[in-house]
Amino acid sequence: MGQSSSTGQPAAAVSPEHLSSLLANRFAKKCFTPLELAHFRDVFSMLADNQDGLRYWKEESLCRFLCLPDTLSFNHEAPSSTKHSPGTVTSPTSISTDPSQTPITLGPGPVMYQMATYLGAFPFPSLAPSILTGEALLKVVVIMTERYKKVLKGGTGDRRKLLFRSLAVFDRRMSSVAEKMTEEERSRLRAEKDLGEGKGRDRDGSEAGSEGGEGVKGEKDGVEGIRSHVAGFSIDEPGYGDDNYAPDEEEEDDDELALAALDSLDAFEVYKSDSRHSDTKIHHAQIPVDNFRRLITLLLIIAPLTAQQNLALCAEYYNSASEQEHLQHTTECILNSFLREGNSGISYHTFNTIVPSALPYMFDGLNPLFEHFLFSKNFDLSRRKREASAAEAIAAKPLSPTNPASPTSPSAQRTSFSHPSLAPNSVTSPTTAAAASSSDPTAQPLLLQPGEILTLSTLSHLSFFIPGSTHLFHRLRPLYSGLDSGFSLGSFESHVLNWRAPSILLVGGTRLSNTHSKLSSSERAFTDKLPPKRFPDSSHEHTKTNKKSRGEKVTFGAYLSVPWKHTPRDAIGNQDTLLFQLAPTHRVFKASNLVRDYATFTHESIGFGTPPPRKSAAQGRYSSSSSSGHTVSLGPVSLWLNASLAYGVFTHDASGGGAFHTSPIPISGSSDTGSNIGSGHNSRSHATQSWQDRFEIESLEIWGCGGDEEAEQQRKAWEFEEREAAARRGIKFGKDVEADRALLEMVGLVGNSRGDSGGSMG
């Protein structure tokens, strides 16, 4: 293996271009059905440009087909420390066509085109940026939709690294080795790279479609000069020789997905030779902040997208100024989790640490977006079937004054059931789409009714880390809102209990001041119940001074996959329980096996990660008092809301040891730039990762993940409990009331003095 290719020729005699073509044809045969491949060919042919026999897509064609917005009506300020490196595709941050309107920034089109031209060169980075020919575009679709898993069994976990490479640019200032290179060494490496590219332009383009069909053949490769405005990927420019690679970095820098592709072609030697001519040091690359901001915004918009749904339909949900403001705010909160003080971009270490731990489903929206290549308007077979059925129905009806049209009349020819909303790539409004089919769950609104915290952009944000998007889009229903039902545990209980499906708690408010003298009497009473504050706030810029600490908005939440119930003794929840922070920085805290105090609900508080009340021997009652004398005992990673639902506290002790794992994301704005991320082993890392936010609750919402069936089950459960309660009220006691009550407590018909609920309704 590695000595010869599948063509039987020596590895050195096979060019990377030829192997890339072979891989495209293997993808075409193994990853698509014949019908899907026919759709792809038709889509490519409709928008392909032709120059000297070479058919390819330009950036405008890609953006037009995917309906990518040209502009985003957001007004944001990039961090002052952000400086874009050479080679980015960023454009001016804003353009103003109307001074009275919000400044407009360019959309995600250039970013997506950069990604496509890099992925089209897979598995050889030296070929990037590639021309988007039929076979290059086919590889893009295979990678974006994760269909490569049908061929590359060994590269299932490396798509994330490939996506980073497609977004990143190389910054020579990050490499001390590159700075020490002589100009002669750089010239030699550039010459070797140019020689390799020159050899690659002689392959026969007709062989590209020998296995994959007409859609991926016929592209000639003798045409030069067809390049987009993207001048080149700096990450792949020659930098320094192979002798300068550190052994540990070289091993980590290997692209497992590319190696799996070359393994399938038995061409490792060609890949290694190509790698020597391109600087692929991933740890010396960064994603420009503005590019990543645009991508996050696009991913939020396409999160609920389906394979046959037009992106323009999802974008229409953000037509209002308020929704656009929420979208911008959500984008910045997610982006904050990647930013580090002193860094001009997003490094691979930060990217590869945060995405799998805090945003594991962030890129899932790319799958249905690129599935659009497999649905051509010209292959709408259902439309032909509907038209045929309509014609048969009209022909079967007798002619009458009320039905004057004959099958051959012009009015009959105009009678058709083909509606624009039924076309795969049509643009329709949300109202029209919802009316198209009441039985289709995706035809229902994305959110039945927006809340104070939960908006459409927040819903997409939740889908980035809560598993099973089917529980979120079109399925969330409001169970409780403090603004509507009142901030009390009694109101909370009457709306949330007996919901037999997963639920999401969202709480938002204003951070309290760190100065005790500036607190009101009620705020002091709340803080006096808590242990002394040992950690700063979660935002570094507000820990330097107390003047701005009060007033910043914070949003926290929890995902509970089990029904709510009273927890006088034991906590509820399981390994699926999640704690998270949505603003001002995105963080996710996964459940731990060490302690199982996932969620508690008592007459005193609501808690996640806090220990359940303990029984006091002196009083014979359950209390949440800690051994240190304070009323509340907080877990290392915990969210606790007091009895009046007026105040809350979120604690994150980086030393860990509680019901939830710690987050690798340091305090917002800290200078912990990467070496300590996720390590949690030194005092400096703990100092930048431990924090505590005490806040006044302004909004509290509980959302049920379910539909009409779950709501009906909850209604029936409440009716049953009401009948049982009425029956209990009608019980007549004898002369010995205490004895009769004790007997009823034994059988569970009434509650006892300790606060345990009677009956077996839970």
Side-chain angles (χ1 to χ4, degrees):
M1 179 175 297
Q3 301 301 321
S4 62
S5 69
S6 57
T7 61
Q9 304 177 43
V14 181
S15 67
E17 291 83 356
H18 180 69
L19 290 175
S20 179
S21 176
L22 291 179
L23 181 63
N25 285 285
R26 182 163 298 184
F27 280 156
K29 291 184 62 177
K30 302 294 185 180
C31 300
F32 302 98
T33 65
L35 182 59
E36 288 174 336
L37 201 56
H39 277 265
F40 174 81
R41 295 170 187 160
D42 188 69
V43 168
F44 177 78
S45 300
M46 283 191 301
L47 297 179
D49 285 86
N50 193 309
Q51 181 172 341
D52 297 332
L54 178 66
R55 298 158 63 203
Y56 65 99
W57 272 28
K58 298 185 296 186
E59 179 181 328
E60 307 90 89
S61 303
L62 181 68
C63 296
R64 174 186 171 190
F65 177 75
L66 295 178
C67 299
L68 299 178
D70 295 329
T71 58
L72 298 173
S73 302
F74 300 150
N75 183 17
H76 60 262
E77 295 182 1
S80 58
S81 60
T82 300
K83 296 180 180 179
H84 302 300
S85 304
T88 67
V89 295
T90 56
S91 300
T93 54
S94 64
I95 56 176
S96 179
T97 56
D98 187 348
S100 64
Q101 296 181 353
T102 304
I104 303 174
T105 62
L106 295 182
V111 181
M112 293 300 297
Y113 186 73
Q114 169 180 326
M115 296 178 67
T117 54
Y118 186 93
L119 298 178
F122 179 80
F124 298 101
S126 66
L127 301 182
S130 67
I131 301 173
L132 289 186
T133 60
E135 60 182 35
L137 196 58
L138 184 138
K139 287 189 289 183
V140 174
V141 174
V142 168
I143 294 173
M144 288 295 196
T145 60
E146 298 186 278
R147 292 181 175 233
Y148 61 82
K149 295 179 180 179
K150 299 179 180 179
V151 176
L152 310 181
K153 302 300 182 182
T156 56
D158 207 55
R159 176 174 176 254
R160 185 169 58 251
K161 179 183 288 187
L162 199 58
L163 292 178
F164 176 85
R165 288 180 180 275
S166 68
L167 289 164
V169 297
F170 181 75
D171 189 355
R172 290 189 181 278
R173 293 171 297 180
M174 300 174 58
S175 173
S176 60
V177 179
E179 293 175 356
K180 296 178 181 179
M181 291 185 60
T182 64
E183 185 62 32
E184 181 180 357
E185 291 173 327
R186 293 174 182 172
S187 301
R188 177 178 55 81
L189 290 175
R190 290 193 187 99
E192 291 177 354
K193 176 177 171 60
D194 294 340
L195 180 61
E197 290 180 349
K199 292 180 180 179
R201 294 195 179 102
D202 296 330
R203 69 178 177 88
D204 184 8
S206 61
E207 187 175 351
S210 59
E211 296 182 2
E214 297 176 0
V216 290
K217 72 177 182 179
E219 292 90 348
K220 298 180 180 179
D221 299 295
V223 180
E224 299 182 5
I226 305 175
R227 297 292 181 193
S228 78
H229 67 277
V230 183
F233 292 97
S234 301
I235 187 176
D236 295 315
E237 288 298 322
Y240 42 86
D242 187 65
D243 295 338
N244 293 318
Y245 282 94
D248 55 340
E249 291 184 356
E250 181 182 14
E251 181 179 358
E252 188 176 356
D253 195 50
D254 280 340
D255 194 328
E256 295 178 4
L257 197 58
L259 294 179
L262 273 298
D263 184 27
S264 67
L265 297 175
D266 194 14
F268 275 116
E269 292 301 322
V270 179
Y271 176 75
K272 290 297 182 180
S273 175
D274 178 79
S275 299
R276 284 194 293 268
H277 298 299
S278 62
D279 181 11
T280 58
K281 294 300 295 181
I282 197 170
H283 298 287
H284 299 150
Q286 288 186 340
I287 301 176
V289 173
D290 189 57
N291 287 1
F292 201 56
R293 177 185 286 111
R294 292 192 236 171
L295 180 63
I296 292 174
T297 303
L298 176 65
L299 294 175
L300 288 170
I301 295 175
I302 67 176
L305 190 69
T306 61
Q308 298 190 54
Q309 187 180 27
N310 198 317
L311 176 59
L313 177 63
C314 293
E316 285 190 8
Y317 289 114
Y318 297 93
N319 281 338
S320 66
S322 61
E323 285 297 341
Q324 291 182 6
E325 182 180 355
H326 287 306
L327 181 62
Q328 177 193 3
H329 174 71
T330 304
T331 299
E332 295 302 321
C333 291
I334 296 175
L335 185 63
N336 285 341
S337 63
F338 291 89
L339 300 182
R340 301 291 174 266
E341 185 176 348
N343 281 12
S344 60
I346 300 165
S347 67
Y348 176 71
H349 186 80
T350 300
F351 182 86
N352 196 44
T353 299
I354 294 176
V355 171
S357 63
L359 297 162
Y361 313 111
M362 178 180 181
F363 295 101
D364 284 4
L366 295 176
N367 294 39
L369 179 65
F370 281 84
E371 287 279 349
H372 283 60
F373 283 91
L374 308 181
F375 295 94
S376 172
K377 293 180 180 180
N378 299 333
F379 285 78
D380 190 359
L381 303 180
S382 59
R383 180 179 64 184
R384 299 178 183 178
K385 184 176 180 180
R386 290 191 301 271
E387 292 174 349
S389 300
E392 293 176 0
I394 295 174
K397 291 183 179 181
L399 295 178
S400 64
T402 59
N403 182 33
S406 64
T408 57
S409 66
S411 59
Q413 294 175 357
R414 289 194 300 267
T415 304
S416 172
F417 290 97
S418 60
H419 191 274
S421 64
L422 300 176
N425 290 302
S426 62
V427 179
T428 60
S429 66
T431 305
T432 305
S437 175
S438 59
S439 60
D440 183 7
T442 60
Q444 303 301 322
L446 291 178
L447 188 59
L448 293 177
Q449 124 183 21
E452 184 72 15
I453 302 176
L454 187 63
T455 60
L456 289 176
S457 57
T458 307
L459 182 61
S460 295
H461 188 177
L462 294 175
S463 72
F464 283 3
F465 60 90
I466 294 180
S469 60
T470 54
H471 295 304
L472 300 179
F473 299 112
H474 313 284
R475 296 274 290 175
L476 282 186
R477 63 176 58 239
L479 300 181
Y480 165 80
S481 172
L483 295 176
D484 297 333
S485 304
F487 291 91
S488 69
L489 289 177
S491 178
F492 181 94
E493 175 183 348
S494 64
H495 288 80
V496 175
L497 293 191
N498 293 318
W499 178 261
R500 306 299 184 189
S503 58
I504 298 174
L505 178 146
L506 299 174
V507 56
T510 303
R511 182 185 292 147
L512 300 179
S513 173
N514 292 326
T515 305
H516 194 268
S517 60
K518 296 182 179 181
L519 300 176
S520 64
S521 57
S522 60
E523 292 171 349
R524 285 196 296 268
F526 165 70
T527 57
D528 289 343
K529 295 180 180 180
L530 304 176
K533 186 173 182 180
R534 300 182 295 118
F535 306 128
D537 297 333
S538 62
S539 298
H540 180 74
E541 58 270 21
H542 296 313
T543 61
K544 300 176 181 178
T545 174
N546 292 326
K547 295 181 180 179
K548 295 183 179 180
S549 181
R550 181 179 175 84
E552 184 176 16
K553 302 296 183 180
V554 293
T555 305
F556 300 98
Y559 171 77
L560 189 63
S561 60
V562 300
W564 285 86
K565 68 177 182 179
H566 287 284
T567 58
R569 298 183 182 88
D570 300 319
I572 58 175
N574 53 31
Q575 284 290 301
D576 296 329
T577 308
L578 291 174
L579 262 183
F580 51 85
Q581 181 185 24
L582 298 182
T585 301
H586 168 81
R587 294 181 175 94
V588 175
F589 314 90
K590 298 181 179 180
S592 168
N593 282 324
L594 186 62
V595 180
R596 300 184 182 275
D597 299 333
Y598 301 124
T600 57
F601 176 40
T602 67
H603 65 283
E604 296 180 345
S605 64
I606 299 174
F608 292 87
T610 59
R614 296 178 299 176
K615 186 175 182 179
S616 172
Q619 300 178 356
R621 299 185 58 183
Y622 287 89
S623 173
S624 58
S625 299
S626 64
S627 59
S628 60
H630 299 282
T631 305
V632 180
S633 178
L634 302 175
V637 179
S638 60
L639 171 65
W640 186 83
L641 311 180
N642 70 347
S644 63
L645 299 182
Y647 300 99
V649 56
F650 196 106
T651 303
H652 179 259
D653 186 348
S655 60
F660 294 93
H661 292 291
T662 59
S663 170
I665 302 174
I667 294 174
S668 300
S670 71
S671 57
D672 192 355
T673 57
S675 60
N676 294 321
I677 289 182
S679 61
H681 296 306
N682 54 66
S683 58
R684 182 175 182 274
S685 180
H686 283 185
T688 58
Q689 294 186 21
S690 296
W691 50 269
Q692 185 183 82
D693 282 340
R694 302 178 178 187
F695 57 95
E696 181 181 6
I697 298 176
E698 298 176 349
S699 302
L700 177 61
E701 300 171 1
I702 302 293
W703 294 82
C705 306
D708 296 336
E709 182 179 352
E710 289 79 6
E712 181 66 16
Q713 290 177 356
Q714 185 187 37
R715 184 187 65 81
K716 291 181 178 179
W718 280 121
E719 291 179 351
F720 173 76
E721 292 197 0
E722 290 176 1
R723 292 193 300 267
E724 290 295 310
R728 292 172 193 160
R729 289 192 295 267
I731 296 177
K732 295 182 179 180
F733 293 100
K735 294 181 179 180
D736 192 349
V737 177
E738 293 300 326
D740 291 344
R741 178 175 292 277
L743 179 62
L744 294 176
E745 288 178 356
M746 291 176 59
V747 298
L749 291 180
V750 298
N752 53 41
S753 60
R754 295 174 304 186
D756 298 342
S757 59
S760 56
M761 280 76 72

